[in-house]
Amino acid sequence: MSGPWSSRVLKSHSWHALLAGTVACVVAVALFITLANTLYLGWHDFYFYMTKMRTWLSFTNTLWTSLLSAFLSLLLAVPAGYALSRHRFPFADAVQTILFLPVLISPCAVGVFLLACCRAIPVQPLTEALGLRLDHALPGVILAQCTVICSFGILLSKTAFDGVAGKFEHVSHSLGAGEAGTFFRVVLPMAKNGLFASFVLMWARAAAEWESLMIFVGAIQGRTDVLPLAVYLDFTSGRLGFALSMSLLCLLLAMTGMVAVRLLGGRHHVWS
Amino acid sequence: MCGREAAGFFPTIFGRRTWFASGVCAFAVLLLMAFAWLFISGSRLTSWEGFASLSRQPWFWRSVKLTLYTALATTALAAVLGVPAAYALSRFDFPGKKAAEVVFLSLLVLPASSVGLMLMVALQYPPVRLLQDSLHIRIVHSLPGVVVAQLVLALAFGVVAWRVAFDQIHPVYEHVGRTLGASSGRVFFNLTLPMAGKGILTGAILAFSRAMAEFGAVLILCSTFRFRDPGRFSAVSKFLGIDRADILAVAMWMEMEEGQMERGMALAFIMLGLTAVFVYVLIKMKKRAFHEYTGS
Amino acid sequence: MNTLEVENLGVRLGRFSLSGIHLSVRAGEYLVLLGPTGAGKTVLLECLLGLHGLETGSVRVRGRDVGRLPLEERGMAYVPQDYALFPHLTVAQNITYGLQVRKLPKEEIRRQTAAMMERLDIGHLAGRFPARLSGGEKQRTALGRALVTCPEIILLDEPLSALDENRCYEYARWLKQTQQDAGSTFLHVCHSFEEAACVADRVAVMNDHGVMVQIGTLDEIIDQPANRFVARFTLCRNILPGQAEKNTPGARILLDNGMWLHAGREIAGPVYAGIRPENILLLEKRTEAAENCFRGRIIQVSRRPAGREIRVATGCGEMVLHTPASAARHEIGQEVDMHVPRDKVIVMKA
């Protein structure tokens, strides 16, 4: 007969402690990194840089470009995600591979491809006709953000629609509703939370986009000031204070977004 | 008009062919064409000569090896940390779990420049620097730094996938295993891990491809290695043949900065090909996962 | 000493709670825990297994308090609802698992596994994976996996609900037979009285609110249900409220419509009178002197395997009665007289 604290009990407790320990370890490291940066920067400096116009310019630029990109991408991605979820395409695997490539490929490579693409038809004639400038300008930033998050959005919204069982559509059709009616009145409301969460994730991802911008748009101060790019520029030009305070701002943005995702409870996992 | 057999080349939703289905599919096709064109149009900037000249570069094969080794090391580290963490997040309730989830999620959407910078500052912070000094290792501007920088995103992607893998396995299997006399640790290794095998592999592939694709954090934390004094590389890295080389993503950026468009583009195509293989494998695996235990 | 002893168990899970659960299972007994869907039967099982922290009370296995022991130390085996056979292991490996964990010698493991598969008649399935088993084969494998470790008690959660209706009773009898042959103790959870009646030595009834209302043998809960809920659950279809007064020997009950109903049990105060459909007799002609007579009009007749079910509108509401197949045919709208013997009237305190 074993007592309440037999060795087996201790073993099972230590197993749980080990598991929770890994979580605690990662969270602690993340906290330490944030803390070390905050301490290094110091509260006064943080406050000082926060009152600078330049920081807020980058912040507002990031906010509106990423929101616009997320919105545009969502408009494209939701129908595409629905189509992928319900329609069987010929060569489905190849189609999906191409559509989901920008999610996993190095954003840096996306930048390289965008660079090449913008000198080809139909992009170049189009931008010339519209008088739009892509390199060293914010429209280029938006294009790069859209390219990266659009495919992310297709993946997320496909997952959200996969979560809505087809039987609801069958029932709706049997009650006499058409395709569009069913989509807007049954499928969309049911996938609502997942799509909201997708939007927030896309927005946060767009706000964090940097590598493709660096190659495609080019980093020029005062023209393409978004936070991630400004962090890099200030870092290379030795203005560590600006870079750090803007990094912390980015962190804050990311955390806010992810709290929202967590509250919306959408499925943020997409591959499995 | 709307037979199920109509599913084929024509846009249908559940076998119905309507204007709505066509419209919805048009979006997918449009985006498909846009992405395809994005990748195809890149070929204008390079040629076979670009690939040939790339393979003649003294650093190229060292770069390939470096990318492979660091990505593998990152994946292994991410698995060691991430698999137990994902299991804990999937199975247990503990104080601060919500906050921990937010932290893991945030890693997914942090700008690489901030990640690199913050890692740099934290690693140079006095207590950490003293620790590194006493252990005679250097992380910033050295090869271990590459792994550290890649780890952040690889871990974030991995944990999401691994958690889903564990979520899909009902805890009742573990309960039954334990009523049969196995301890919780044994149940994890005997039952949960084999049952989650596919999902674990999916997460590992995700982590690996993400590690391979990482660029920004590596650039800031480690800068570049190609032109560095050979004396600054350790014997191990020389033995492995990964000294004086950069990971592919950084190498690509350097080529572009130096105006070597052809070689940069060739590198971009190499990364595109590798990633396409991974994405294809992931899609195939996800498809097969449904038939895994259903006995078809 | 009882194999399982639950005292004053209470647990709270969000908005759901169980409280004041007392339960004891004797060695070698087949106890069925019966209750409607959502009563918390599965939660109770999970509490016994230690998956939820208890708010109050204790769980003892053979006199040993297992409240703080981990799952693997409690001496309970568990057969969950859909059996949870390990999908990556074959039938033989599933059964072997519990023995391997105990680090028995290889030869012993092989012998015991073979013996168990022989006993449950699943030897021919040894190399198959669970995905390719039928419901009955899965059930056998799951039971074999539990039995082979010789647990003190086996907890079965709705073991027959995954099987189709036709095979259900066959497997219920098989379960009972296996339990008797092995001499082991079973705690079986289900929501169907008929299923329980096939296998149970004793039955514990839980109501919708997670309260244990009665524990007893089948005879006890059928003949003397503790309250209206148990009566209804044990298929007593006619339950009439009334006021009882002593009328030695027995009692008489004033029903709502002013009619007197005579019962065999001495009781007074507000009561419910329960009458089973098969205990109502249709009279050929009305005898004024007879007690416990009802008059009414037939509103529905439906065919049952054993006869007919007839619904009759009477002065005290609708009543349901069963007639044997050999009885005369009755038409809808026909006026009939019914009689209930006084010893067949079940009386429950309201």
Side-chain angles (χ1 to χ4, degrees):
Chain A
M1 200 179 247
S2 51
W5 288 102
S6 68
S7 65
R8 292 284 284 278
V9 181
L10 278 178
K11 245 165 89 182
S12 103
H13 277 269
S14 54
W15 168 249
H16 291 176
L18 176 81
L19 290 175
T22 53
V23 178
C25 172
V26 174
V27 173
V29 169
L31 278 182
F32 170 76
I33 291 175
T34 318
L35 203 68
N37 279 276
T38 325
L39 287 178
Y40 181 77
L41 182 62
W43 173 246
H44 279 286
D45 281 17
F46 184 60
Y47 184 75
F48 172 76
Y49 291 116
M50 280 295 120
T51 55
K52 286 287 183 186
M53 202 47 218
R54 214 159 69 85
T55 313
W56 289 107
L57 187 71
S58 306
F59 180 76
T60 44
N61 271 341
T62 311
L63 212 57
W64 78 260
T65 52
S66 57
L67 275 173
L68 185 64
S69 314
F71 187 70
L72 288 176
S73 307
L74 195 73
L75 283 185
L76 289 172
V78 165
Y82 183 64
L84 278 189
S85 162
R86 296 294 193 258
H87 173 54
R88 281 180 307 160
F89 285 83
F91 313 114
D93 294 337
V95 168
Q96 291 192 21
T97 305
I98 294 177
L99 281 176
F100 298 155
L101 249 175
V103 179
L104 273 191
I105 196 176
S106 176
C108 190
V110 173
V112 175
F113 281 114
L114 274 173
L115 200 64
C117 191
C118 286
R119 293 176 191 174
I121 44 163
V123 186
Q124 199 176 19
L126 205 68
T127 48
E128 268 173 11
L130 292 171
L132 216 58
R133 234 193 113 168
L134 289 179
D135 54 335
H136 307 308
L138 285 177
V141 172
I142 293 171
L143 181 63
Q145 287 177 344
C146 280
T147 312
V148 174
I149 63 173
C150 198
S151 131
F152 194 38
I154 300 173
L155 190 52
L156 287 166
S157 55
K158 175 180 183 290
T159 317
F161 288 126
D162 282 344
V164 179
K167 62 185 175 190
F168 296 106
E169 274 148 283
H170 295 315
V171 171
S172 168
H173 292 310
S174 75
L175 296 173
E179 297 284 342
T182 303
F183 179 73
F184 286 110
R185 295 176 58 182
V186 178
V187 184
L188 215 49
M190 286 182 77
K192 186 184 63 188
N193 266 20
L195 293 178
F196 271 132
S198 318
F199 178 77
V200 179
L201 267 170
M202 285 159 76
W203 162 74
R205 189 73 186 73
E209 190 47 46
W210 162 53
E211 289 134 310
S212 62
L213 301 183
M214 206 161 82
I215 290 186
F216 172 51
V217 190
I220 295 206
Q221 202 177 335
R223 301 206 14 212
T224 53
D225 279 328
V226 285
L227 282 174
L229 210 51
V231 167
Y232 174 70
L233 268 185
D234 284 334
F235 168 70
T236 46
S237 56
R239 280 173 297 207
L240 206 56
F242 264 122
L244 268 181
S245 39
M246 283 193 278
S247 282
L248 290 174
L249 211 56
C250 287
L251 184 69
L252 226 60
L253 265 181
M255 295 282 260
T256 320
M258 292 311 104
V259 169
V261 169
R262 198 68 201 77
L263 290 181
L264 286 167
R267 285 152 62 97
H268 49 265
H269 49 264
V270 283
W271 283 107
S272 343
Chain B
M1 281 308 283
C2 51
R4 201 153 286 259
E5 65 280 0
F9 275 89
F10 303 103
T12 56
I13 298 278
F14 286 134
R16 288 161 162 241
R17 196 192 313 159
T18 62
W19 65 268
F20 184 77
S22 316
V24 164
C25 290
F27 273 92
V29 172
L30 186 81
L31 284 170
L32 178 73
M33 278 161 39
F35 285 145
W37 182 243
L38 174 68
F39 298 133
I40 293 167
S41 62
S43 62
R44 288 173 70 253
L45 289 191
T46 190
S47 59
W48 292 118
E49 185 45 39
F51 286 93
S53 125
L54 190 65
S55 65
R56 283 197 302 270
Q57 298 297 311
W59 47 265
F60 176 67
W61 291 107
R62 289 206 301 271
S63 277
V64 172
K65 268 194 272 180
L66 178 72
T67 311
L68 190 68
Y69 292 158
T70 50
L72 275 177
T74 308
T75 310
L77 257 179
V80 166
L81 272 174
V83 171
Y87 185 64
L89 285 176
S90 161
R91 287 290 189 272
F92 310 124
D93 268 322
F94 44 87
K97 180 176 168 182
K98 285 249 162 70
E101 284 173 344
V102 169
V103 168
F104 276 101
L105 264 181
S106 307
L107 296 182
L108 275 177
V109 292
L110 273 179
S113 51
S114 312
V115 170
L117 181 62
M118 290 175 82
L119 276 176
M120 170 105 134
V121 170
L123 288 168
Q124 303 279 33
Y125 203 63
V128 185
R129 202 168 49 198
L130 286 178
L131 187 73
Q132 291 176 56
D133 285 347
S134 64
L135 293 171
H136 299 291
I137 50 168
R138 246 173 74 89
I139 294 179
V140 178
H141 287 152
S142 76
L143 290 178
V146 177
V147 174
V148 171
Q150 289 176 343
L151 187 60
V152 177
L153 261 186
L155 186 66
F157 268 74
V159 165
V160 168
W162 289 322
R163 172 160 187 190
V164 176
F166 289 128
D167 278 348
Q168 281 172 348
I169 293 166
H170 199 281
V172 78
Y173 293 101
E174 290 161 23
H175 299 155
V176 170
R178 291 183 62 198
T179 59
L180 295 174
S183 65
S184 15
R186 179 158 189 162
V187 161
F188 174 74
F189 288 110
N190 276 351
L191 304 179
T192 320
L193 217 47
M195 281 167 71
K198 268 258 158 69
I200 305 281
L201 191 62
T202 303
I205 293 178
L206 269 175
F208 184 84
S209 58
R210 205 50 245 194
M212 210 186 67
E214 185 56 59
F215 155 69
V218 177
L219 179 70
I220 290 192
L221 193 65
C222 307
S223 180
T224 57
F225 298 106
R226 198 193 296 172
F227 304 116
R228 234 178 259 179
D229 176 20
R232 288 179 56 192
F233 291 94
S234 69
V236 180
S237 61
K238 279 178 188 153
F239 172 73
L240 291 173
I242 54 175
D243 57 328
R244 284 170 296 133
D246 294 298
I247 59 168
L248 289 175
V250 175
M252 174 169 65
W253 174 75
M254 282 174 75
E255 293 304 298
M256 296 306 278
E257 289 289 287
E258 286 172 7
Q260 300 286 351
M261 284 287 210
E262 286 226 321
R263 291 212 293 259
M265 209 63 224
L267 271 168
F269 271 108
I270 289 172
M271 299 201 57
L272 180 77
L274 282 174
T275 317
V277 171
F278 289 134
V279 174
Y280 188 76
V281 169
L282 286 171
I283 289 169
K284 275 281 178 206
M285 273 175 58
K286 184 177 178 180
K287 249 193 188 165
R288 204 163 323 143
F290 291 121
H291 309 296
E292 178 79 328
Y293 292 127
T294 51
S296 51
Chain C
M1 196 188 302
N2 286 328
T3 299
L4 178 74
E5 190 93 48
V6 180
E7 262 172 41
N8 192 31
L9 179 141
V11 70
R12 186 176 294 280
L13 292 171
R15 282 160 68 193
F16 184 83
S17 71
L18 288 177
S19 62
I21 302 281
H22 289 270
L23 186 69
S24 59
V25 187
R26 298 172 195 144
E29 180 180 52
Y30 200 128
L31 185 100
V32 174
L33 182 59
L34 188 63
T37 316
K41 297 164 301 194
T42 302
V43 172
L44 178 57
L45 276 199
E46 288 171 354
C47 286
L48 299 183
L49 288 168
L51 301 180
H52 308 297
L54 299 186
E55 224 169 45
T56 58
S58 66
V59 178
R60 289 169 187 283
V61 174
R62 279 187 177 272
R64 179 177 67 146
D65 190 343
V66 296
R68 301 182 63 183
L69 289 182
L71 205 48
E72 56 267 32
E73 297 249 302
R74 296 190 168 210
M76 299 172 180
Y78 181 36
V79 179
Q81 198 153 17
D82 44 9
Y83 311 129
L85 294 173
F86 307 132
H88 61 300
L89 302 179
T90 61
V91 167
Q93 286 167 331
N94 262 287
I95 293 176
T96 315
Y97 186 78
L99 300 172
Q100 281 171 342
V101 165
R102 285 177 170 66
K103 298 198 173 73
L104 294 182
K106 276 223 172 74
E107 196 45 48
E108 180 68 13
I109 291 180
R110 195 160 5 181
R111 197 183 59 73
Q112 286 196 24
T113 309
M116 181 55 68
M117 290 204 294
E118 172 90 2
R119 205 164 105 200
L120 302 185
D121 200 17
I122 47 175
H124 58 291
L125 305 171
R128 279 225 214 143
F129 283 96
R132 301 192 47 214
L133 297 180
S134 72
E137 290 164 345
K138 276 186 191 166
Q139 193 208 28
R140 281 159 192 257
T141 310
L143 199 67
R145 182 176 66 179
L147 274 173
V148 82
T149 60
C150 301
E152 302 285 355
I153 183 168
I154 299 186
L155 312 180
L156 303 113
D157 192 358
E158 306 261 8
L160 302 173
S161 66
L163 306 173
D164 66 85
E165 187 114 11
N166 299 328
R167 315 294 304 275
C168 186
Y169 296 104
E170 193 183 311
Y171 275 107
R173 277 193 299 278
W174 176 82
L175 263 182
K176 175 75 179 167
Q177 193 62 47
T178 311
Q179 182 257 346
Q180 278 175 341
D181 293 347
S184 46
T185 314
F186 276 31
L187 173 56
H188 171 143
V189 162
C190 75
H191 60 253
S192 144
F193 173 72
E194 290 176 44
E195 185 184 317
C198 282
V199 291
D201 293 324
R202 284 197 308 147
V203 179
V205 187
M206 256 173 130
N207 71 9
D208 315 76
H209 310 296
V211 177
M212 196 71 85
V213 279
Q214 192 175 10
I215 303 178
T217 59
L218 278 168
D219 284 341
E220 282 164 2
I221 67 157
I222 291 172
D223 294 339
Q224 286 158 20
N227 60 21
R228 203 156 59 125
F229 177 82
V230 180
R232 191 164 290 158
F233 217 88
T234 54
L235 309 179
C236 178
R237 306 273 298 272
N238 308 299
I239 295 173
L240 312 167
Q243 200 72 30
E245 59 188 54
K246 265 186 200 156
N247 184 16
T248 324
R252 57 179 196 166
I253 304 159
L254 180 62
L255 299 180
D256 281 352
N257 66 342
M259 188 187 139
W260 288 100
L261 188 65
H262 296 267
R265 184 174 157 207
E266 277 190 30
I267 195 169
V271 293
Y272 286 107
I275 306 165
R276 294 187 175 281
E278 57 275 18
N279 291 336
I280 301 180
L281 308 171
L282 282 179
L283 299 176
E284 288 303 317
K285 64 175 194 285
R286 185 164 190 165
T287 15
E288 290 298 328
E291 58 179 21
N292 292 0
C293 271
F294 299 87
R295 164 163 273 266
R297 207 175 65 251
I298 295 178
I299 53 175
Q300 194 181 40
V301 180
S302 48
R303 178 67 219 211
R304 284 296 189 93
R308 290 192 171 73
E309 179 176 289
I310 301 177
R311 285 171 13 113
V312 184
T314 70
C316 38
E318 266 180 39
M319 292 179 74
V320 179
L321 63 120
H322 290 169
T323 59
S326 57
R329 302 273 310 241
H330 297 275
E331 302 298 329
I332 292 173
Q334 195 182 339
E335 293 275 329
V336 285
D337 290 304
M338 301 170 291
H339 168 68
V340 186
R342 70 157 62 189
D343 57 322
K344 294 286 169 58
V345 176
I346 300 164
V347 189
M348 300 152 276
K349 277 226 162 67

